[in-house]
Every structure is written in C-alpha cells, then in structure tokens.
C-alpha cells in the first residue's frame, strides 16, 4: 500500500525529515549481483542537499549504511535493509510551524488525514524520503546494466526556458557538466541564471525533466492494469512536486492525425523488423517495443517561499508565515537522480515480472 | 499484477475482443449497498460501439449479466462476477492480419512478449476490455454517491479545437447533449465536424479528456507510493491510447513561479479553513484536500486508418495493409465514460483504504 | 485479499451456491501451454456432487465454460475467465433457513460481518465455490507436468479408520479405484462402510487427507513470509471444513529428539548430494529440497446433520432445525481433488516466483 | 512476497544473523496510538537469547531502536522503521560451516535456490530474524488492547510431557512463572528437567505451543482465501521449526461424528445469541464468531546437535560436523512470544481489513 512500490523488485521506505534516520528495504533483489557500493553513494551524492549554489543549503552527508542482503559484496536474494542518518536537522527552524499549515504543502492534508503530524521539515512528506528511493534505484541500475539497459534523465525546462523536445539531440554525457543538469551548456547557463534570479526574489520556479531508457528489450509490461507506461507514470507522479507525466509525443498527440504520427514498421538491412519514428515512446499496448523509452515529468515550483505568506493555523487563525528552513528554489537539479532512480526501480521490476510471461 | 487494479476495492478483468465473452470480478465491494442495475447498464450504453455516427459501427448490445455478489439487489460483501457476451464479432475482418503487425498497435509487442497472440480485433489489447471497467466503475459510483462524491468527464480537446482549461466554466449537465461529449455546444459542433472530416479521409484524430471529482473528502491518498494522483494517473494511463496525464495546473506549472500559483489558505465566513485557487487540483502531498479534483488525459489518434498502410509480417516481409474492421475515427467520445469509471474505481478504493488511517 | 490467491499465478473466484453461476479468473498463466480441456473437466467430475452413493445427491453437471485466455487451445498469457452454471439448485430447500443460523456453519458469522447474507445453500460459504479452484488447479497441473511435477492426494483417515502415515506404502494409481479415494482397497471398504453407517444415522464423520507432490525441484519457497509450507498450509486451511495442517512428521515431531529425526545428507552413487529419511517433508527453511513434499489435512465432520438440531434465529429465538438440502455425510472423497487443486495452484505460483530468485 | 506479511497492517523484515543489524518496517499502523516503548522492549526481552539456562547462550542485548513513525510517542500513520543491532556475533564459530550443509537446516536449500548464502549462523534463515516480528507484534498488541483483544501463548507440550488440551484449565498469569513458559508449575518442572536432560546429551527436543486470543469481535476474516484461520496458520507455519498447525479440535475432529462436536447456539439469559462448546476454535467459515480463538503449533526439535553429525560439503564430500555455535536445546520457551507476536500481527491486520466490509 502506502510505502511499498513494486511487485517482485519491491522497495519499502520509512523515515521523516527530522527523525533519527530514513531508510528502506529492498526485497526481491536477485541473488548473485556484485554491488558497487561507491556507485550507490555516488547517486546519493547527486541528490544530496548542499551540493551547489542553486539547491538547498541543508548540509547532509547522506551516507548510506547497508544492513543486510549482501555477503562479501554480492546480493544473496535476501532483503537489503539500509539507513541514512539525519545529521544536519535544525528542527528549531520549524518551531513556528507546529500549528501552521504552509500553503500548497502537505501540512493540512496530513493533519486532517491522520489527526497528528510531525511538523518538522514536512515530516514524512519531505522530499528527504526520496533519498531512500535513490539508494534502491542505484541498486536496480546495476542489475539493469547487466542486461544492457541504461537510464538517464535531464532538466529539459525551467520556467520558460526549454530544450527541444527531441531527446536524441542531446548527449547524456554532458548532463553532469553543469549544476542544473541540462545537457546543453548554453541553455543550462540561462536556466541557472533564472534559478538564481528567482532565488534572489525569495521565489521558486517549476520545470520539466525528461527521462530516457535505452536498451530495454521488447516485452516489458503487464497489460491491462500493469502497463509499463502506467507504472512509470505512477512512479514519476509519486515524486514530490510532480504534476504531470507524458510519454512519446504525449499531450502533443492530441493535436495530431493518425496518419501523421503512426510508427511504421520497416525491414532492416539485416532482415529484422524495426520501427520508424518512435512517436509512441518505446511502448505499445503497455509493452516495451525495443525502442528507446522517453517521457517528460512536470514539476511545480516549490511551495516554500522565503518571503511572507498569508496562511492559517490549525486553530483557524490567519497568520503571516516566513519560512526559515533551507529550501530549494527549484527542485529540478536534485530531482534528476530521483527520476532516474524511479525509472530503474520500475524497469527492473518489470524485467523480472516478464520472466514469467511464457512457459 | 496485470489484470487486477485496486487494494481493497479490486477489479480483475478478462476477455478478448473476439472470444465468447469479456467480464470481470469486483472484489471488496462493501456489503449493504442497494445497486441500481439500470444505471450500470446506462454507463455501458454510453461506452457502447455503434451509438453515434462518429464512433465505430460494431454493433454490440453490451448487456451485462451479474453472476454473484448481489442478493435481492443488495451487495453482500462477496465478489461480484459479471460477463458481457461478444455478439457482433466479424472475426473474418481480421483474417488478413493473422501474421501482420499493425503499426502503432500492440500486435508486435504481444507477439514478442507472449510468443502467441489472438489477432482478431486486437485480442486482449482491444479497447473492448474497457467495458468491464465501466461496469465496475458504475458500481463504484453508486457507493461514492452515498458519500456525496460525484465524478464526471468531458471531451475538452479534439485536434486543435479546445475548451478553456478551467473546468468550472462548463456545466456537466450538458456533456451528454452532443455525441462528442463536450459541454460547450458551439465547440462541440466544431469538434464533431472535425471528426467527420478525418473520418471521411480514412484518418483519425487525437484529443484530451478532462476529468473532475467533486465532494471528495479530505484525507484520501496513501503516501508515499500510494499518492492519490499517482493512482489516478496510473488508472488513466492504463486506458487504451492514453499518452499523458496531468492534474491541477499540470505541465503549465513548469512555467510558473511559486508566488504565482500557491494555493493560499483562508478563513471562511463560518470560521472554517478553506483553500483559495485550487491550482493544486484538489490533492496536496498525495492526499485529497477537500477541493475539486481535476485532471487532463491526452489520447493519441487511433492507429487504425482506413487507408493503405505499409507494414510488415511476422515473417519479416513488407506488405500493404488496409484495415477492414469497424473503427473509431476518434476515441474521445467513448473514452469519456471510461475515464469516469476509472476515476470512480480509484476513489472508492482510496475511500475504503482511508478507513484504516486512524485508530 | 479475500477472493484472490497467489502472487504470480493468481486465482480469483466468485459465485454463490444458488446464484446463476460460479466461476473465476486465472491470471498469470504463462503463454504457450497447450491445454487439455477434457482433463480440466475430468477434475471437475471428480469433485462433482452426485458421483457416488456416499456423497451429496445434488446433481450438477458442472460443465466449465472457458471465456478467454486461450487461442486455438493454447494459453496466450492473458487471463482465463471461466464459468460453471448452477443448474440443480433447489433453493426452496433452504426457505426455512432464511433467518436461522445453522450450528457450526458460517451463517452467523457472515450475517454478523456483512449485515446481510444469501442463506440459500450457504451462499458464498458453500463448498460449491471450490469447483472454481478445481478448474484453476487442473490448469496449473498441466503446466507443472511440463516440469515433471506431479500432485496427488488420498483419503488417509475416516473417523478411527486410518492408513499408515507413510505415503510411500501406497500406490497413487489405486486412489480412484474406490469411491472414498483411499489407495488401500481393504481399508477403503471399511471407510465406505463407516460413511454409509453415519449417513444412515443422519450423522456425519471427519477425516484426514494426505497430499503428496513429487518431482518438485529444489528452490521453491520465498522466505521468510512466503515459505512454501506456509503457503501450502494456508491453501489447505482455506478449504471448507479443514481444521489442521501438518507436513513431514508434523505434530509427531513434538515428541521427538533431534537425533532421532534429522534428515542426513548422503553422497549418492553418482556423487550427487541426496537427503535421507525426508522427515522434513521435502521442505527445509521454507524452501523445497527436491524430495517428495507430503502433508496431512484434517477435516471436521460436516456440520449439516439430517436430524433435528436445536438452534436459534437471527431474532434470538430458539428453534429446532432439520436440514432438508442434500449433503455429504463425509467431505473427504470430494475434497481429495480440491486438495490436489490447491497444491497445484501453490506449486505453480512458487515455480514462477522462483524464476526471479537469481540474476 | 517473501519478506512482507499483511494486507493493511504490514510488516517487512530484513537482516541476517551475523550482519550489522536486523530490523523491519511496520506500515499501516493507524495514527493516534500512544506507544509504550518499554512494553515493546519487554517482549523482545522475552524472546532474547541468554535469558535462562535452557536457551542458547548467545548474549544479545536486543535493544530496539525506533527510527520513524512516532512523534512525541504517538503513531503518526507513517511507517515505523526500526533496527536491532547484532552485537554478540561470534562468526568464527561458523568458519567450519562455510561449505558444509547442516542436516535439516536451510543451508542446502538456500545455496541451491540462490547460488550463494551467508553461512554465518544460518544467515537469513536464522530464528534471529523473528526478533523483528516480536517488535511488530508488540506494537500490534497495543492497538488490539484498545479494542479489548488479548493474546497469549504457552508451552503445552515438550516431548512426551503435555498439558491437557483444554486451554481454559490454565491461568495465563502463570505462564511467565517458569523458564519453559508453561502455566502449570508441576508440568513445567518436568518439562524443564527434560530439556536439561536432552541438553546434557547434546540433543534437542520438539514440542507444542498453544495460542489463545480473547476478546476478538465477531467478523474478522476475509473468505474465501483470506480466512482468519488460514492467515493464522500461515503466520504460525512461518515461524522457524514449525511443522503443524491446528485450531479448535484440529486433528481430533477427524475421529469425530458431527453430532458429537457441533457448536450449538443458545439464547443467553439476556436474550443474546451465544455459542456453546466452541469446538470450532472461535472461527466459523473463516470468520471469527466472538468466542475465544485457540490453536496449537507443532515445533520440531532444533536440528543443531552438539554432537558429531555426518553430513556433506557443497563439493559433495562426506564430512563429520560438530556444531560450535550456541544453540537452543528446545525452541519452545523463546517461541512463545513469537507465536503471540504473529497472532497479534494477523489479528490487527484483520481488524483493520474488517473496517471495509460494510458500507
């Protein structure tokens, strides 16, 4: 239910922003995989707060500690429990929010649903929880790479500044060349300037992340309710601040005629069947067709502004609130590794599920 | 996994386009609900082929037969099994497709995944399967209405013709006034003309459906992997031909600054807490906040064109294919009740899940 | 939840004793299996009422009708929906039970849990529902046999008459030689006489069924909560009237010292590792070890007596009740194919699950 | 799948006997429950090794550390992550077992299933993992007690020494009066002597634990595959060394006639409906009937003998093995709190599930 994702490769996470630790359990990891723990930590570092001038200043080491499931560095098929300690909490920053509902945050809905909430740093609704997903994603990624599957994501839009929709125009090797994680250096510079600008204003800005998976074999996806893109969509929409998901041409399909956008089959020079165009985004009928999978995820601007906001208390009193915590003016740069992680988690789960599709 | 959706209120469907019947099992229906079977059949009729000049001519009665779970018209808490017989199959229409992969259809991916496929009318990948979802949705709806929850959807875009994004401008009572299911009569007329035009061309056209749920109480949603909008997104993306999902301002959020789009709290005249704007779309932190939930679903143009298409056979030969079946030039009108059904299924499931959130 | 069993190979059943039909959906059946429908019907016939003098006289044809998931007799990987019509209902037999709770039946608990119940023939709690399990089990069996796995069960105890505990002493080919399904002709004769005797008395009698699976490969079982014997136990305990489950030496282990019952490893003549004794019953640490799996299931005597019983009405009135329906004096003979079916369902599910245990 | 139990109240465990820590995540805990952490630790202490002369000498503090899900001592509805560090490992004790399969242990099956295993102390198959279940059970128990539900278990048989089957003859307040956890002081003394005797012999002994739940309301259980006793059975059979489960009269039912064992309804002095005898064990048709639930769990003797055992290596060589670790001569005393914990986990899950059974 709430805190577990996956059917066979399954991640369960726990932890609040200001509790002793966050962490998770990865179940269903196939046995026999040699794990590169440095690579796992590397992904965490990409998501880490405090990594650049355009992200939150909360300075967490975010060291993951593996507690089980590995023996002499190799997966044993038993669950991998792990924790990341919360070190740099400044819970005092949130004292003024104990009874206040921050607008467009989850404070109000958690309070109403559960009748109680940990107000410190958003508690469970904090994006800090996604660090556990990055750990699981980094593990999944290492399994996927054994099958030749690669996953990457990049910032393709910040405010009005956007890249061309065609992901093939960009070199994934350049994503990490700048702090906004946009593979086009010129556009990246403009994005960074925009984020710095809104940050100076105590404001925040939305954007879009494009995700891509290459090397995915034909056959992943479990119709009718386990379609691959539906699972990817749910995984992306489950990321904090995500508000939209589309794959292939997505919403642009709405304007098109069938004759304009059909993905024709063709016979390759070696006699094999291939697919032209790939407007479908690598998935047809909910099942991967062997072409690149690509999709876009819309993120709203962070709701925490470093300026006075009018809001209300739990008691029903109007108050002015000025955030004192350390916050991201734009979630995109740090969300890139999260999009990648969730993609890897979903793909590995479906790769395993697909082992049972035939006798 | 593949053919079941839901945690507590659960639907499992079965059936192929040209087999003896399609159907499903609804499990987790609460006991004690008086069911209006005519209302269920009415929803099926809204999805039925052959209902108007702009949808497929396949003429199915689509009569649902309930097999269990009801006693003297009232739900007993036991599973509701139901079947809809396939009557108007013309499987011969598909003889020429036995070994041919229709472009942008699921023929190729099913064949590759399972090593076998029922080629008649798309087999399991046919949208005919969604009739079973409409039955379950119609049942769910009747339970939701007991809690004051109402669900509706309408065609908000066909090709380049679109309504204003603000659903509050349209009267849901007018949706059924025209065959394209658009609540604005003038725009509907233009949409219908466009569909007729592409139909004459043997072509097809995409579009967007807007879905709305009113009366949803605060508290539905199971963070972090069971967020309400993630479940809605997965349910919508699981509808045939759906390619994108967004809720609230969706992708438009990407262009916005936080200060422009925050949903402020205010104190109502009666002292209660309310939320202004509702740019969030009725969900915050994955949990409903008591405001209307609204979202948009993008549909691609149907891939079956009534004109020659170049494609390939399973054996790797290039062939020309001209569809002979009866097909929709635009899925939108018939997808409206499916969007409503899937929305109702998700909301009822979460309404029940939420019963366990507190002691 | 309630009406679905399995993780990958999943059965969902529906239907009441006196509704229009019972049936189910088998999801997760691997594609590419040629199905022998006569063999499926044969299993149903073994469970069928009216088959002999010592079982209920309700005379159901119990013809299963497959609605989906098969194409030209081969599984397609899509769900297999099926129905069995209820033909020989005599609901009038139950008119006197509308408001009466039969002792040791589910009438009272269903009424209390759901606030409503279909009193005719026990409604959902009728063992008639198990016919759907037999269908699914017969399908599973055909897949298992492709892997060399065979499943059988037999009546090993009726009242005080019991076989030796060692299943290896009995020839499974003789199980169907008599109507009580006991592989020892002499003991079977005594069992039948006992059943006839209690039937004459309007009474009923309990017993034990022994189940055996041969050819199970090493490795099936998902510790720690998906242990193979725990899943088998739950499946057996889920059969109507089952009250106990043990595997290997079972409760007899309680009296033993470790040194008496350890299953020693030995080196076979071909140098391979084998296990002596098999007191463990083919499962160690929740995982099959390649030896025969064997277990025993205890059944209580049927609670419906053909004599006056003192009981109460829903209104709290004491009444005398004399059953008028047609009932089994002993469930064992008809429960044998159900035990086999549930065993096959569990084993196939775990065989598929195990495909994901290693990279 | 493997490492998660429950539908709504769900426990996922992780950890190996000799890794850094074991632990788990409890999801689905209702919000608003004040937790007594000392009571949780108390249950752990009852399961702790080294607590008496008749259990293993491994001396673990077994301090549980809660990492999330509690705010100011009250549950928040978010998952409760927890860890218990492994302190007193003497992995060197197991060096001689790296390539040896201990008879009747899980060494061989894990090695075959996963192709790799952590041989130290049984790795994941060690009963040490059950400490995590005791934590979850202790949490569940506190919720159950708010509904008047109480759970207890006791040692009812060790070898040939057994208590009367009728649990009502024993006072649960006396269970903790002796180290074997048997509520009859005289029988307890004999049991302890027997355990000491087998321990001196380097041998081990089996037994039976009786579990009881009082105050369970009518209505818990989700037929047909979620019957309450089937879930209890699976939970008990999932405990290390468990080999059998029966409830109510269990296997004794096999010898009985229906007329001897029917649980008659009667009208109480206050006009309410009650049930006589309770041979059914508090569950009818898979649903609790308001009477006490009672059941018995058979445990085999521990397979680790402190004497030479003939066995084989992974390489297929015959070797003599003498265990050097610290082991229980009889698991019963320490299994009592585990039986209680698993009972509480199942009952709370079903109590929550039952909230959804009616409109």
């Amino acid at each position: 239910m709430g805190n577990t994702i996956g059917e066979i490769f399954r991640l369960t996470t726990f932890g609040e922003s200001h509790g002793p630790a966050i962490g998770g359990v990865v179940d269903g990891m196939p046995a026999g995989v040699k794990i590169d723990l440095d690579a796992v930590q590397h992904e965490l570092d990409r998501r880490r707060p405090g990594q650049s001038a355009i992200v939150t200043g909360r300075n967490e080491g975010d060291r993951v500690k593996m507690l089980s499931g590995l023996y002499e560095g190799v997966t044993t098929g038993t669950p991998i429990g792990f924790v990341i300690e919360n070190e740099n909490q400044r819970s005092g920053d949130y004292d003024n929010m104990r009874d206040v509902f921050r607008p467009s945050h989850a404070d109000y809905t958690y309070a109403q649903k559960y009748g109680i909430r940990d107000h410190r740093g958003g508690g469970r609704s904090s994006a800090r929880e996604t660090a556990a997903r990055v750990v699981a994603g980094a593990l999944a990624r290492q399994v996927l790479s054994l099958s030749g599957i690669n996953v990457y994501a990049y910032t393709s839009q910040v405010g009005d500044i956007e890249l061309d929709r065609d992901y093939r125009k960009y070199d994934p090797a350049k994503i990490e060349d700048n702090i906004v994680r946009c593979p086009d250096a010129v556009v990246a510079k403009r994005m960074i300037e925009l984020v710095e600008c809104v940050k100076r204003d105590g404001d925040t800005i939305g954007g879009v992340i494009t995700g891509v998976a290459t090397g995915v074999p034909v056959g992943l996806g479990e119709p009718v309710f386990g379609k691959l893109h539906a699972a990817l969509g749910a995984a992306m929409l489950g990321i904090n601040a995500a508000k939209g998901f589309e794959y292939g041409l997505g919403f642009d399909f709405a304007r098109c005629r069938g004759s304009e956008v059909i993905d024709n089959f063709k016979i390759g020079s070696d006699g094999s069947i291939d697919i032209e165009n790939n407007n479908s985004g690598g998935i047809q009928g909910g099942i991967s067709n062997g072409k690149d999978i690509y999709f876009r995820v819309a993120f709203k601007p962070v709701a925490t502004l470093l300026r006075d906001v009018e809001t209300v208390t739990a008691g029903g009193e109007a108050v002015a609130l000025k955030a004192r915590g350390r916050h991201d003016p734009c979630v995109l740069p740090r969300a890139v590794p999260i999009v990648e992680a969730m993609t890897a988690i979903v793909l590995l789960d479906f790769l395993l599920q697909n082992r049972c599709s035939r006798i």
Side-chain angles (χ1 to χ4, degrees), chain A:
Chain A
M1 320 261 289
N3 297 283
T4 299
I5 189 168
E7 293 285 335
I8 291 183
F9 181 80
R10 289 159 69 94
L11 168 66
T12 302
T13 73
F14 65 83
E16 279 83 42
S17 177
H18 287 239
I22 61 165
V25 185
V26 168
D27 199 5
M29 169 63 85
V33 182
K34 176 91 192 151
I35 294 297
D36 178 346
L37 288 175
D38 292 337
V40 176
Q41 185 62 47
H42 173 68
E43 292 303 316
L44 264 183
D45 291 345
R46 292 177 69 212
R47 198 214 72 96
R48 198 171 65 79
Q51 65 184 272
S52 81
I54 60 168
V55 305
T56 172
R58 177 167 166 165
N59 195 5
E60 289 280 358
D62 277 359
R63 305 298 304 181
V64 62
K65 189 172 172 193
M66 298 294 182
L67 300 178
S68 63
L70 297 167
Y71 180 59
E72 299 179 346
V74 177
T75 60
T76 59
T78 65
I80 300 174
F82 61 89
V83 290
I84 302 165
E85 287 181 23
N86 290 327
E87 298 166 347
N88 192 238
Q89 308 129 303
R90 299 202 316 224
S91 303
D93 282 358
Y94 295 90
D95 282 353
N96 61 332
M97 293 182 195
R98 177 181 274 268
D99 295 313
V100 177
F101 298 137
R102 293 170 298 164
S104 285
H105 272 280
D107 300 346
Y108 174 72
T109 52
Y110 269 69
Q112 295 294 312
K113 181 182 183 74
Y114 298 112
I116 177 177
R117 74 187 169 96
D118 180 348
H119 71 282
R120 300 165 302 166
R124 180 70 179 155
S125 71
S126 166
R128 179 147 185 76
E129 177 271 339
T130 58
R133 309 190 200 181
V134 169
V135 171
L139 294 168
R141 216 163 176 149
Q142 298 188 28
V143 186
L144 291 173
S145 73
L146 300 176
S147 298
I149 301 172
N150 186 36
V151 166
Y152 66 90
Y154 58 89
T155 300
S156 51
Q157 183 180 338
V158 175
D160 287 320
I161 304 168
E162 38 182 329
L163 292 183
D164 190 280
R165 291 286 173 92
D166 188 349
Y167 71 95
R168 289 168 296 194
K169 294 187 175 166
Y170 304 100
D171 178 1
K174 294 186 174 161
I175 294 169
E176 295 296 309
D177 287 356
N178 56 70
I179 56 178
V180 78
R181 296 201 164 93
C182 168
D184 179 306
V186 176
V187 177
K189 193 158 172 293
R190 291 172 51 216
M191 288 175 170
I192 293 166
E193 285 164 5
L194 176 55
V195 175
E196 288 169 341
C197 169
V198 300
K199 185 182 175 185
R200 276 191 303 272
D201 293 351
D203 211 338
T204 60
I205 187 86
V208 174
I209 289 175
T210 295
V212 182
T214 64
V216 179
V218 191
L220 308 200
E222 302 295 323
V224 298
F225 295 122
K227 286 176 177 160
L228 181 54
H229 59 267
L232 283 170
M236 296 308 139
L237 290 162
I239 299 173
N240 307 48
K243 302 295 285 192
F245 171 85
E246 59 180 3
Y247 76 107
L249 296 195
F251 277 88
D252 283 351
F253 266 126
R255 304 189 182 284
C256 297
R257 292 191 170 210
S259 57
E260 297 170 306
V261 292
I262 276 185
D263 288 338
N264 288 308
F265 289 102
K266 61 180 179 186
I267 304 296
S269 51
D270 62 346
S272 70
I273 293 171
D274 196 14
I275 294 167
E276 282 183 333
N277 314 322
N278 193 21
N279 292 321
S280 298
I283 302 172
Q284 275 159 341
I287 301 170
S288 62
N289 66 6
K291 305 293 287 183
D292 290 351
I293 293 171
Y294 63 97
F295 56 84
R296 297 170 79 242
V297 189
F299 289 87
K300 69 173 185 178
V302 176
T304 304
L305 311 184
L306 294 177
R307 46 165 84 174
D308 273 348
V309 174
E310 298 299 318
T311 189
V312 300
T313 64
E317 230 178 320
V319 291
L321 175 75
K322 185 168 178 177
R324 284 204 305 256
R326 293 151 296 175
H327 301 281
D328 291 278
C330 176
V331 297
L332 281 287
R334 292 177 58 210
V336 163
I338 304 168
V339 165
E340 292 174 2
M342 295 309 296
T343 305
I345 289 168
V346 170
L347 288 177
L348 179 54
D349 189 32
F350 279 79
L351 191 71
L352 293 169
Q353 287 187 54
N354 194 43
R355 289 188 181 180
C356 299
S357 59
R358 294 198 200 187
I359 192 59

